[in-house]
Amino acid sequence: MSTEISTPDGGSAGGDPTAVVPSKGLHAGILDLGDSVMLGLASTAPVYSLAATLGLIVAVNGNYTPLILVLGFIPVLFIAYAFRELNSALPDCGTTFFWARKAFGPWAAWLGGWGVALAGIVVLANLAQIAGKYLWLLIGDGSLAGNTWLVTATGVLFIAFMTYVNHRGIRLGEHVQRTLTYIQYISLGIFAVAIIVRIAGGAPGGANGSATIQPFDLEWFNPAGAFADPSAVVHGVLLALFIYWGWDTCLALNEETENPAKTPGRGAVISAFVLVAIYVSVALLVMMYASVGTEGIGLGNEANQDDVFLAMKDVVLGPWGWLIVVAVLASVLSSTQTTILPTARGTLSMGVHGALPARFGKVHQRFQTPGFSTQVMGVAAVAYYVAMSFLSEDLLADSISAISLFIAFYYALTGFSCVWFFRSTLRDSARNLWFRGILPFVGAVSLTAAFFISAVQMWDPEYGDTQIFGIGGAFVSGVLLLVLGVVLAIVCRFAPATRAFFTGEHTEVGLVRGE
């Protein structure tokens, strides 16, 4: 039987203080605050994100990298507050889709849902490729990691396995996630402790590592020094934005969390603060040990930019260097699983509310998961990954770069939705004004600016690895994918199964049971 969640502390565009959200049949109350925080942390793939992005930020910002990581966190935190406030009023697993619908109507809602799904599908291709590569780096001499066919097949198997885990139930998925999280954080902890020991002993990386101990300097956090080159700051912050993305997974699991109106929002904010602490502290340790130099394991060495941890592992851990490879692999696998979770629940909500065919709104009766939506997300990710891998690995890399456009789009939409949805309550208290108005608005404006700045950078044919008609491949692939969402929205507007959503005639009839 369908049930409803009533949240008396909300608000609405029309000033209605009570929001009623129909239950979809998901396993209610199975996750607690600890689970929520863990899933938010795992979805960002913190170990892999640092390994793959730290060198790129250093290349642009040098010693000011720790400050850039803090600056990149600020708009993300402001949007986290928007997620928390909207979730307190409307704890629907559709998140941005559902909130944009309440604030701005069906078209904004559909495109918001598309933005969430698009970011998930594209990043799954990247995660699958990295997972396949790192698995084979652990086997033999690592040369198999260069075999495209083998890496692609392995990546496909990883997506298929994580899709199966998510389909079988949230509790099984949580157990798998907890194991992967322990592996990556224990390995990262060992790596960090090893660096601390070496720094304390004043031992450089040796002849092969060419590391020089670099003492901590408060200048690394000096805004005046960093903003001597404003374009570098903007570029670095855009890179930092990507590594924070993913904490909103715990919001997409709100209907499966204890106290859905409160716990997921708290989990999102807590995980965001934990992330910035991890990123800044690890970045400081790595910078102090390896320096930002361009030789050896230096973070400024172009040969290390794709993965600074891989370059440092043998110097720091010696024969135990494989631990950091395991940490990155566990990080990528955990993010693969947690990326499927919000995309599947987003399309579940779209199906329940009529924005997609009703089959997307089916919940598996036994496993209490969005069965069909989960399977579709897995198949879509596999299809995209395989097609792009064999069409052009360079274009795959550029399409992954375009993820920043998708993230900025739906995060900004969420921030604006928060301000507009709660507009009638902003004068009720200073708290409402700040957390429902000013902070979400500033975050949304910042991310809107990031969207356009990033798009301009991607337009440059020298940006990324490909050019299409004299334009950067990242821009073309990103814009084409966003435009595809507009096309699909128009199709749904006139399709018999979904046009009622756009005309306002659709009525939720409650839970749609699957097989």
Side-chain angles (χ1 to χ4, degrees):
M1 179 179 295
S2 176
T3 59
E4 293 180 331
I5 302 170
S6 180
T7 58
D9 62 338
S12 70
D16 182 5
T18 302
V20 177
V21 180
S23 170
K24 301 170 186 63
L26 297 168
H27 197 156
I30 195 171
L31 303 174
D32 58 21
L33 179 61
D35 298 326
S36 187
V37 172
M38 181 196 67
L39 289 167
L41 291 174
S43 189
T44 60
V47 179
Y48 167 65
S49 295
L50 270 174
T53 310
L54 189 56
L56 297 174
I57 298 177
V58 167
V60 178
N61 300 100
N63 283 326
Y64 295 107
T65 292
L67 175 64
I68 296 302
L69 292 173
V70 174
L71 293 177
F73 169 70
I74 293 173
V76 171
L77 176 63
F78 291 173
I79 295 301
Y81 285 127
F83 271 82
R84 185 188 68 179
E85 295 301 310
L86 285 165
N87 182 75
S88 70
L90 299 169
D92 188 283
C93 66
T95 60
T96 299
F97 157 76
F98 189 71
W99 302 330
R101 179 195 180 198
K102 292 296 183 180
F104 300 123
W107 287 95
W110 208 101
L111 293 176
W114 172 250
V116 175
L118 187 58
I121 291 171
V122 174
V123 82
L124 278 171
N126 179 43
L127 294 172
Q129 186 179 48
I130 298 300
K133 174 184 175 182
Y134 271 75
L135 176 64
W136 293 109
L137 280 175
L138 289 170
I139 298 174
D141 62 358
S143 60
L144 291 174
N147 187 315
T148 300
W149 287 91
L150 184 60
V151 168
T152 302
T154 305
V156 167
L157 289 176
F158 279 138
I159 294 177
F161 175 71
M162 290 307 181
T163 301
Y164 172 77
V165 168
N166 287 334
H167 176 68
R168 291 283 295 185
I170 189 64
R171 180 50 71 194
L172 173 61
E174 189 272 336
H175 288 328
V176 172
Q177 192 58 239
R178 191 174 294 276
T179 300
L180 292 171
T181 300
Y182 287 157
I183 291 173
Q184 66 173 307
Y185 280 106
I186 290 173
S187 301
L188 181 62
I190 293 172
F191 183 67
V193 169
I195 292 179
I196 292 172
V197 170
R198 290 183 176 276
I199 291 175
N208 293 329
S210 300
T212 302
I213 302 301
Q214 183 173 327
F216 173 80
D217 190 343
L218 281 176
E219 174 63 23
W220 299 347
F221 291 93
N222 180 10
F227 277 92
D229 186 353
S231 63
V233 173
V234 172
H235 191 180
V237 168
L238 288 172
L239 289 169
L241 174 63
F242 174 74
I243 70 175
Y244 287 111
W245 172 56
W247 49 264
D248 49 308
T249 291
C250 51
L251 276 303
L253 299 173
N254 47 20
E255 297 185 44
E256 296 152 275
T257 306
E258 296 174 354
N259 192 356
K262 297 294 184 182
T263 301
R266 291 170 181 164
V269 174
I270 291 172
S271 61
F273 275 108
V274 172
L275 280 170
V276 72
I278 291 173
Y279 287 151
V280 173
S281 59
V282 173
L284 285 173
L285 287 175
V286 173
M287 282 178 58
M288 291 171 65
Y289 182 67
S291 81
V292 297
T294 58
E295 301 294 331
I297 64 172
L299 302 183
N301 188 338
E302 290 186 6
N304 303 336
Q305 287 181 7
D306 289 341
D307 192 332
V308 295
F309 289 171
L310 197 61
M312 295 177 63
K313 66 181 181 67
D314 294 330
V315 177
V316 175
L317 295 172
W320 295 89
W322 56 269
L323 273 176
I324 201 64
V325 179
V326 170
V328 174
L329 177 59
S331 179
V332 170
L333 289 177
S334 66
S335 186
T336 300
Q337 182 195 344
T338 50
T339 298
I340 296 172
L341 288 173
T343 52
R345 279 150 184 79
T347 52
L348 168 73
S349 181
M350 293 177 76
V352 168
H353 296 293
L356 288 175
R359 191 174 182 186
F360 281 89
K362 289 184 178 180
V363 173
H364 195 284
Q365 192 164 15
R366 176 185 173 190
F367 302 133
Q368 293 182 278
T369 59
F372 181 72
S373 285
T374 300
Q375 293 167 6
V376 168
M377 287 303 105
V379 170
V382 166
Y384 183 81
Y385 173 45
V386 172
M388 295 299 286
S389 292
F390 294 106
L391 178 64
S392 171
E393 288 193 14
D394 288 341
L395 188 57
L396 171 61
D398 280 349
S399 69
I400 291 167
S401 298
I403 290 176
S404 61
L405 297 178
F406 314 146
I407 299 169
F409 170 72
Y410 86 82
Y411 272 8
L413 179 59
T414 304
F416 287 129
S417 296
C418 181
V419 176
W420 191 249
F421 182 79
F422 288 116
R423 66 188 186 278
S424 63
T425 70
L426 297 183
R427 296 183 180 180
D428 292 350
S429 66
R431 180 199 177 280
N432 282 2
L433 178 62
W434 280 99
F435 290 105
R436 295 179 172 183
I438 295 175
L439 297 184
F441 182 75
V442 172
V445 170
S446 300
L447 290 169
T448 300
F451 178 93
F452 286 106
I453 292 171
S454 186
V456 169
Q457 290 178 345
M458 292 177 186
W459 177 278
D460 187 343
E462 297 302 318
Y463 185 100
D465 300 315
T466 59
Q467 297 181 25
I468 301 176
F469 303 119
I471 302 172
F475 177 88
V476 174
S477 59
V479 169
L480 284 179
L481 289 171
L482 286 172
V483 170
L484 176 60
V486 176
V487 173
L488 292 175
I490 294 173
V491 171
C492 289
R493 166 61 181 82
F494 295 100
T498 53
R499 63 187 174 196
F501 170 78
F502 291 90
T503 60
E505 299 170 359
H506 177 77
T507 302
E508 281 79 24
V509 294
L511 173 64
V512 182
R513 285 289 184 186
E515 296 177 357

